[in-house]
Amino acid sequence: KLKAHITSKVSSYRPLFKHYRLIQYPIMHSSVYSSYLEQSLRGDIEKSLAVVETILSNTRNPCLATPSQSHTYDDKFSLSVFLTNIALMAVCNVLMQMGLKKDDFQRLIDVVVVKKKLAATLRFESTETCTLVKEEIIKMEGPEVVKEGGDSLKNVFKSKKVITKVKQFHWKMDIRYRIYVYGGNDTSGSGEDSFTLRDETVSCKIITRGNKEPPARMLDLHARNPSPVDVSLTWLLKQMDASSLTAAYDIDRSAESCRTPRNNQETMEAEKHFNSIGNWCSQVSRYFIAKQKNVNILKLQDSVHTGLNQDGMDITLAARASDEVFNPVVPLFESHNDKKSEGDARLLMHDDSAEGGTETGTTSPILPASDISSFLTEQCRTMEEKIEALKKQGDSSSNTTDFMTSNEAILTLLCKHLIAIISIWNKSVNYIEDMLLTQLKDAIGKTVKSSDLDDFIRFHNERIFHEDFAPEPFCYSVRRPGFHPEGVVTIENVPDSVDKKDIHQAMTFTRKLETNHKLTPVFIPINAAASVEFRGDMFLHAWIMSKFNQRNKFELAARTRQFSSFLLILGKMTGPDGFEPAHAIILQNKDEIMIPLLMEDLPSAKEFKDAIESLSPEQQRFAKAFRSMKLASSVFGVCIIQLKPQLEVLLGLPDKSLTKEIRLTQDLLSLFIDYQVPSDLLTFDGLSDMNATSKLLVVKNHVKSVMDMIKSAKEDEMKEEAMKADMAHDMFSKDMVGSVPQQQFVPKTASKEMIGSVPQRQFFPKRASARVMYGRSSVAAPAALAATPPTSPPRWRSGFGVEVNSKSLEVQSQETQENKGGISSSNNGISSSSSTTNSSSIDFTHIPKKLNAAFEKFSADEVYGGVMRTTTFKTGEKWRKSYQPNLLSSIKTKAFYVDDQKREKNKALDLLDALSRSGSLPIACAELHIIVASTHSFEQSVVDTVVKKNVNPIEKIERSHLVVASLIHDVGLEKLLRSTHELKRIVGHSPLLLDNSSTRGLIDNNE
């Protein structure tokens, strides 16, 4: 009972242990796993190595293959072939011990390989029956009971026995099992192409008392007729030579799928076949072991009397005895000083009459065929020795009611031995690849990560590219020529650690687009009625990222200096003359914004074609249209607008007038951002021949007048609120009945003089009027205005000394009408004021399509050399902004979510509306950075790509950079590279780069 309790507890925790192992192995670091694999393999083959020393001569020195031993890369392939061949022969030896005769094996090869070309399947099937033999009633005596008392001395002590009649049932448990090989679909196993290995029946008598039910414990693991267990032997038989019965497995080194000694089509097929055989053996052995465990549990029950011999055949002990059978699959190397190696890679099946191979003049560290024959002979000898021992144990058992006989114990022993052979083969083949990992690590000195490869690519590009075309970091100072920077805008990676040394800027191929080559001007829409013409510098960037396993994270960072400011706009290019803002923000006075960039890869051209190949024409057209839209919308734009130069143009001031006017610049920005003051109230309106100082003084006076007016309006508002408070206090003090409506600011008993003393609201209109004043009838006023203190705006009468007459309003209205006419023409593509463009301009939305066409030429290399995919951008939902509330306070950080981003965008576009007079003034002192991104994606890590895929990622990434650089800069390879030596080297591994069609430029006058 105690044994049954412990067994049930261990079984309940077994899934947890299995899950723990599954989650531990994959998260091992490659170096840790490498050490673990070597130590595990050494422990498994320790006994086999000791046996090898006794088999070979004492002058030989075979040992476990290690990277430190002298060998070549081809020797690793030979070792893989060696291990697979000897594993095949070891499996054949076990099948023969199970009952497959040598002549039947020859006939099987003929059926599968030579004559009928049929599939061969090894099947285990069993049939379980439980029959009631007889039913009887028996008498069972209970324990003797002694009672005290009685009438006489004779009856003082009286004993009594209880006899109970119990029904007893005799059961007979029969299990008939067969192991046979059948060809084709003849599952009966009785055809001419079928061969029986074993056909046995085991029986057991069980006696139960009480209920007339069969022994449930015997039937809980399997059904009455369990499903057969099949495994294919077709692949194994195809690897055998029909004439000599030798294993002729080999690896096709010339095949494209052959990457490494481990990663090739032949080894993968061998792994699949061996694992299926191991699974078959595991199910068969578990079947018999489980049956015997159930019988042992039945022995512990009071209601069951088995009559079984407690010291009968124990299958679990037979399974443990499989460890003592010699395993010939051992990854060994042997150094040959002046000796010659023997034989070839073909291994002979164990036969006492087999002769060793012929001698050759090679010096390969692989063991000769004669040694392999000795290993297989030792395997057969130890198997036969253990089989004889189990037979003797079965014969010595005098009880004929044993459920499991020596036949089942031998079968379990052979299955466990097959599992051990396959396990060592798997570990050995993986160990060969692990040797490559170890050697690569020792050669470099570390395990290369994706960040290390990125550092190397930066260094490599600087060395091979001409300085005019080499990639540059995306890091730009916001400045006017000859002046201190206002700030900086950069795209940088997000490091895994807090160490800022790991922060690097994105490297892009950059081309500055000349503004005088008849490009169509770019318009930035600020609302549905107005667009701003961009006349600043334009830069085209091609950003190529490499992804191994997982993508690096990047973010766009913008930082300003003290007393500096600029406007940042993020969006997408919508054509040759369109830039659609998605986000905008005003940065000033040491502000710092960190915007995460979320990236998504589109399918490559080959992947897309393969996906739509079997679709209908309508479905293909739909997919192509949607993909074209996704490619066109993948062009990302970053616009940087300097505020001081634009303020000078807006106010009519000379260039660089506001450079040292810090207070004036701050007041101007506050008026435009917080109060939305019309720019006409602040613009210089004096004589044009006045000097710069006089013009600046006029603007200062206008600013001072508006600021004084605002200050006065705030004071009047405070007085008004104070008066309301006093009136409310008086009303409550007089205990007036009823409540005063909230919108009524004076009591009913107030005099007309008191009512007339309340200031009337006559300054700026509500937000709807403010939109009309700004010419933005369809866009709401910025949220910053709503966030201002609840003060009443100043009145027109008390602020300005300048009279606003009807004539000035008419001029402003006329300018607005002219602006509307210009915008309507710009909505059609080109503004009337800037129509000097021709068809040779760059349509930025076509650049991803050209890149896809160039990458498609190398689509045949996508399986192993990585895939080039177009990458789209969008910003994350959570931004981080650092700011300094005042000069004496410390830096604070806050999160910017979607609502905050919308509020900042409205505020920034309102400012841009004011600076451009609703689109009538172009933006000149600005930069527009157009980014086209692509990702070279690899499925595995850097080390696994090099070792398991046998691919040099440096050459693949280098090729992608050359294709992109030639397209962006519109030059050939000979101009991109520094020397002809680099050109010859690159063409050697990527000859398709010489095709002129792959280096066509972006500007094609023939289109």
mmCIF file of all heavy atoms in Angstrom, residues 871-895:
data_model
loop_
_atom_site.group_PDB
_atom_site.id
_atom_site.type_symbol
_atom_site.label_atom_id
_atom_site.label_comp_id
_atom_site.label_asym_id
_atom_site.label_seq_id
_atom_site.Cartn_x
_atom_site.Cartn_y
_atom_site.Cartn_z
ATOM 1 N N THR A 871 10.171 48.631 -44.195
ATOM 2 C CA THR A 871 9.778 48.867 -42.810
ATOM 3 C C THR A 871 8.959 50.143 -42.723
ATOM 4 O O THR A 871 9.341 51.175 -43.280
ATOM 5 C CB THR A 871 11.006 48.970 -41.899
ATOM 6 O OG1 THR A 871 11.789 47.771 -42.023
ATOM 7 C CG2 THR A 871 10.603 49.129 -40.448
ATOM 8 N N THR A 872 7.847 50.074 -42.034
ATOM 9 C CA THR A 872 6.996 51.237 -41.811
ATOM 10 C C THR A 872 7.176 51.734 -40.377
ATOM 11 O O THR A 872 7.520 50.961 -39.476
ATOM 12 C CB THR A 872 5.529 50.900 -42.065
ATOM 13 O OG1 THR A 872 5.124 49.856 -41.157
ATOM 14 C CG2 THR A 872 5.327 50.407 -43.495
ATOM 15 N N PHE A 873 6.890 53.042 -40.192
ATOM 16 C CA PHE A 873 7.061 53.670 -38.884
ATOM 17 C C PHE A 873 5.712 54.166 -38.375
ATOM 18 O O PHE A 873 4.846 54.582 -39.136
ATOM 19 C CB PHE A 873 7.992 54.889 -38.962
ATOM 20 C CG PHE A 873 9.424 54.552 -39.211
ATOM 21 C CD1 PHE A 873 9.946 54.609 -40.485
ATOM 22 C CD2 PHE A 873 10.251 54.192 -38.181
ATOM 23 C CE1 PHE A 873 11.264 54.319 -40.726
ATOM 24 C CE2 PHE A 873 11.573 53.884 -38.406
ATOM 25 C CZ PHE A 873 12.077 53.950 -39.682
ATOM 26 N N LYS A 874 5.592 54.139 -37.078
ATOM 27 C CA LYS A 874 4.567 54.903 -36.383
ATOM 28 C C LYS A 874 5.066 55.131 -34.958
ATOM 29 O O LYS A 874 5.896 54.368 -34.448
ATOM 30 C CB LYS A 874 3.217 54.198 -36.389
ATOM 31 C CG LYS A 874 3.156 52.895 -35.631
ATOM 32 C CD LYS A 874 1.753 52.327 -35.680
ATOM 33 C CE LYS A 874 1.668 51.020 -34.884
ATOM 34 N NZ LYS A 874 0.295 50.463 -34.912
ATOM 35 N N THR A 875 4.575 56.173 -34.354
ATOM 36 C CA THR A 875 5.056 56.531 -33.018
ATOM 37 C C THR A 875 4.288 55.769 -31.960
ATOM 38 O O THR A 875 3.138 55.367 -32.163
ATOM 39 C CB THR A 875 4.896 58.042 -32.788
ATOM 40 O OG1 THR A 875 3.513 58.386 -32.906
ATOM 41 C CG2 THR A 875 5.692 58.827 -33.810
ATOM 42 N N GLY A 876 4.939 55.574 -30.834
ATOM 43 C CA GLY A 876 4.298 54.889 -29.722
ATOM 44 C C GLY A 876 3.266 55.757 -29.030
ATOM 45 O O GLY A 876 3.224 56.992 -29.210
ATOM 46 N N GLU A 877 2.456 55.141 -28.221
ATOM 47 C CA GLU A 877 1.408 55.888 -27.529
ATOM 48 C C GLU A 877 1.934 56.675 -26.338
ATOM 49 O O GLU A 877 1.312 57.653 -25.931
ATOM 50 C CB GLU A 877 0.317 54.917 -27.052
ATOM 51 C CG GLU A 877 -0.435 54.236 -28.183
ATOM 52 C CD GLU A 877 -1.549 53.361 -27.667
ATOM 53 O OE1 GLU A 877 -1.665 53.225 -26.423
ATOM 54 O OE2 GLU A 877 -2.306 52.805 -28.489
ATOM 55 N N LYS A 878 3.052 56.278 -25.793
ATOM 56 C CA LYS A 878 3.578 56.944 -24.606
ATOM 57 C C LYS A 878 4.904 57.618 -24.944
ATOM 58 O O LYS A 878 5.869 56.956 -25.297
ATOM 59 C CB LYS A 878 3.771 55.930 -23.475
ATOM 60 C CG LYS A 878 4.299 56.547 -22.190
ATOM 61 C CD LYS A 878 4.487 55.492 -21.112
ATOM 62 C CE LYS A 878 5.069 56.080 -19.837
ATOM 63 N NZ LYS A 878 5.287 55.070 -18.789
ATOM 64 N N TRP A 879 4.923 58.944 -24.835
ATOM 65 C CA TRP A 879 6.153 59.715 -25.018
ATOM 66 C C TRP A 879 6.677 60.131 -23.646
ATOM 67 O O TRP A 879 5.959 60.105 -22.641
ATOM 68 C CB TRP A 879 5.913 60.959 -25.856
ATOM 69 C CG TRP A 879 5.400 60.694 -27.247
ATOM 70 C CD1 TRP A 879 5.101 59.493 -27.799
ATOM 71 C CD2 TRP A 879 5.120 61.670 -28.250
ATOM 72 N NE1 TRP A 879 4.665 59.635 -29.082
ATOM 73 C CE2 TRP A 879 4.674 60.963 -29.396
ATOM 74 C CE3 TRP A 879 5.223 63.040 -28.325
ATOM 75 C CZ2 TRP A 879 4.302 61.606 -30.566
ATOM 76 C CZ3 TRP A 879 4.864 63.702 -29.489
ATOM 77 C CH2 TRP A 879 4.408 62.989 -30.599
ATOM 78 N N ARG A 880 7.927 60.548 -23.625
ATOM 79 C CA ARG A 880 8.525 61.074 -22.390
ATOM 80 C C ARG A 880 9.065 62.473 -22.671
ATOM 81 O O ARG A 880 9.835 62.675 -23.613
ATOM 82 C CB ARG A 880 9.669 60.176 -21.900
ATOM 83 C CG ARG A 880 9.274 58.757 -21.615
ATOM 84 C CD ARG A 880 10.378 57.998 -20.887
ATOM 85 N NE ARG A 880 11.693 58.227 -21.451
ATOM 86 C CZ ARG A 880 12.191 57.568 -22.479
ATOM 87 N NH1 ARG A 880 11.464 56.632 -23.089
ATOM 88 N NH2 ARG A 880 13.399 57.824 -22.934
ATOM 89 N N LYS A 881 8.660 63.402 -21.853
ATOM 90 C CA LYS A 881 9.119 64.778 -22.011
ATOM 91 C C LYS A 881 9.792 65.240 -20.730
ATOM 92 O O LYS A 881 9.228 65.113 -19.637
ATOM 93 C CB LYS A 881 7.962 65.715 -22.348
ATOM 94 C CG LYS A 881 8.406 67.157 -22.588
ATOM 95 C CD LYS A 881 7.247 68.069 -22.927
ATOM 96 C CE LYS A 881 7.724 69.492 -23.160
ATOM 97 N NZ LYS A 881 6.616 70.419 -23.474
ATOM 98 N N SER A 882 10.987 65.779 -20.875
ATOM 99 C CA SER A 882 11.715 66.380 -19.757
ATOM 100 C C SER A 882 11.710 67.890 -19.960
ATOM 101 O O SER A 882 11.947 68.381 -21.068
ATOM 102 C CB SER A 882 13.151 65.856 -19.690
ATOM 103 O OG SER A 882 13.161 64.449 -19.529
ATOM 104 N N TYR A 883 11.443 68.619 -18.909
ATOM 105 C CA TYR A 883 11.337 70.086 -19.024
ATOM 106 C C TYR A 883 11.794 70.731 -17.719
ATOM 107 O O TYR A 883 11.840 70.077 -16.660
ATOM 108 C CB TYR A 883 9.902 70.500 -19.352
ATOM 109 C CG TYR A 883 8.896 70.172 -18.276
ATOM 110 C CD1 TYR A 883 8.479 71.129 -17.360
ATOM 111 C CD2 TYR A 883 8.376 68.880 -18.157
ATOM 112 C CE1 TYR A 883 7.574 70.817 -16.364
ATOM 113 C CE2 TYR A 883 7.470 68.557 -17.170
ATOM 114 C CZ TYR A 883 7.066 69.539 -16.270
ATOM 115 O OH TYR A 883 6.186 69.230 -15.281
ATOM 116 N N GLN A 884 12.086 72.013 -17.793
ATOM 117 C CA GLN A 884 12.501 72.794 -16.627
ATOM 118 C C GLN A 884 11.506 73.943 -16.457
ATOM 119 O O GLN A 884 11.458 74.860 -17.282
ATOM 120 C CB GLN A 884 13.913 73.340 -16.808
ATOM 121 C CG GLN A 884 14.480 74.000 -15.571
ATOM 122 C CD GLN A 884 15.924 74.454 -15.777
ATOM 123 O OE1 GLN A 884 16.373 74.598 -16.905
ATOM 124 N NE2 GLN A 884 16.638 74.686 -14.688
ATOM 125 N N PRO A 885 10.662 73.902 -15.440
ATOM 126 C CA PRO A 885 9.626 74.933 -15.297
ATOM 127 C C PRO A 885 10.186 76.347 -15.225
ATOM 128 O O PRO A 885 9.614 77.275 -15.797
ATOM 129 C CB PRO A 885 8.915 74.534 -13.999
ATOM 130 C CG PRO A 885 9.200 73.076 -13.839
ATOM 131 C CD PRO A 885 10.560 72.871 -14.411
ATOM 132 N N ASN A 886 11.301 76.528 -14.551
ATOM 133 C CA ASN A 886 11.951 77.842 -14.501
ATOM 134 C C ASN A 886 13.446 77.631 -14.331
ATOM 135 O O ASN A 886 13.920 76.500 -14.198
ATOM 136 C CB ASN A 886 11.363 78.697 -13.365
ATOM 137 C CG ASN A 886 11.366 77.957 -12.041
ATOM 138 O OD1 ASN A 886 12.417 77.664 -11.476
ATOM 139 N ND2 ASN A 886 10.160 77.624 -11.553
ATOM 140 N N LEU A 887 14.170 78.715 -14.346
ATOM 141 C CA LEU A 887 15.624 78.612 -14.336
ATOM 142 C C LEU A 887 16.165 77.997 -13.052
ATOM 143 O O LEU A 887 17.240 77.385 -13.058
ATOM 144 C CB LEU A 887 16.237 80.005 -14.540
ATOM 145 C CG LEU A 887 16.009 80.650 -15.911
ATOM 146 C CD1 LEU A 887 16.565 82.067 -15.936
ATOM 147 C CD2 LEU A 887 16.657 79.824 -16.998
ATOM 148 N N LEU A 888 15.482 78.166 -11.955
ATOM 149 C CA LEU A 888 15.995 77.696 -10.676
ATOM 150 C C LEU A 888 15.510 76.299 -10.306
ATOM 151 O O LEU A 888 16.021 75.712 -9.357
ATOM 152 C CB LEU A 888 15.601 78.678 -9.564
ATOM 153 C CG LEU A 888 16.138 80.109 -9.728
ATOM 154 C CD1 LEU A 888 15.668 80.979 -8.568
ATOM 155 C CD2 LEU A 888 17.655 80.119 -9.824
ATOM 156 N N SER A 889 14.537 75.784 -11.014
ATOM 157 C CA SER A 889 13.992 74.478 -10.672
ATOM 158 C C SER A 889 14.792 73.372 -11.358
ATOM 159 O O SER A 889 15.557 73.606 -12.299
ATOM 160 C CB SER A 889 12.518 74.394 -11.081
ATOM 161 O OG SER A 889 12.402 74.535 -12.485
ATOM 162 N N SER A 890 14.581 72.168 -10.893
ATOM 163 C CA SER A 890 15.269 71.015 -11.467
ATOM 164 C C SER A 890 14.470 70.453 -12.647
ATOM 165 O O SER A 890 13.305 70.801 -12.859
ATOM 166 C CB SER A 890 15.462 69.929 -10.401
ATOM 167 O OG SER A 890 14.209 69.546 -9.874
ATOM 168 N N ILE A 891 15.124 69.573 -13.385
ATOM 169 C CA ILE A 891 14.475 68.970 -14.545
ATOM 170 C C ILE A 891 13.400 68.000 -14.078
ATOM 171 O O ILE A 891 13.627 67.176 -13.181
ATOM 172 C CB ILE A 891 15.504 68.256 -15.429
ATOM 173 C CG1 ILE A 891 16.561 69.258 -15.928
ATOM 174 C CG2 ILE A 891 14.821 67.565 -16.604
ATOM 175 C CD1 ILE A 891 16.021 70.299 -16.857
ATOM 176 N N LYS A 892 12.239 68.086 -14.689
ATOM 177 C CA LYS A 892 11.139 67.187 -14.388
ATOM 178 C C LYS A 892 10.783 66.375 -15.633
ATOM 179 O O LYS A 892 11.025 66.820 -16.748
ATOM 180 C CB LYS A 892 9.916 67.960 -13.895
ATOM 181 C CG LYS A 892 10.156 68.718 -12.599
ATOM 182 C CD LYS A 892 8.887 69.411 -12.141
ATOM 183 C CE LYS A 892 9.119 70.145 -10.820
ATOM 184 N NZ LYS A 892 7.888 70.845 -10.363
ATOM 185 N N THR A 893 10.187 65.225 -15.407
ATOM 186 C CA THR A 893 9.812 64.340 -16.506
ATOM 187 C C THR A 893 8.354 63.949 -16.354
ATOM 188 O O THR A 893 7.892 63.663 -15.240
ATOM 189 C CB THR A 893 10.678 63.069 -16.507
ATOM 190 O OG1 THR A 893 12.059 63.440 -16.593
ATOM 191 C CG2 THR A 893 10.340 62.186 -17.697
ATOM 192 N N LYS A 894 7.656 63.933 -17.450
ATOM 193 C CA LYS A 894 6.264 63.504 -17.452
ATOM 194 C C LYS A 894 5.981 62.711 -18.718
ATOM 195 O O LYS A 894 6.697 62.805 -19.719
ATOM 196 C CB LYS A 894 5.320 64.698 -17.342
ATOM 197 C CG LYS A 894 5.302 65.609 -18.549
ATOM 198 C CD LYS A 894 4.265 66.702 -18.365
ATOM 199 C CE LYS A 894 4.198 67.632 -19.582
ATOM 200 N NZ LYS A 894 3.180 68.676 -19.402
ATOM 201 N N ALA A 895 4.927 61.920 -18.652
ATOM 202 C CA ALA A 895 4.538 61.078 -19.782
ATOM 203 C C ALA A 895 3.528 61.815 -20.650
ATOM 204 O O ALA A 895 2.660 62.539 -20.140
ATOM 205 C CB ALA A 895 3.952 59.759 -19.284
#
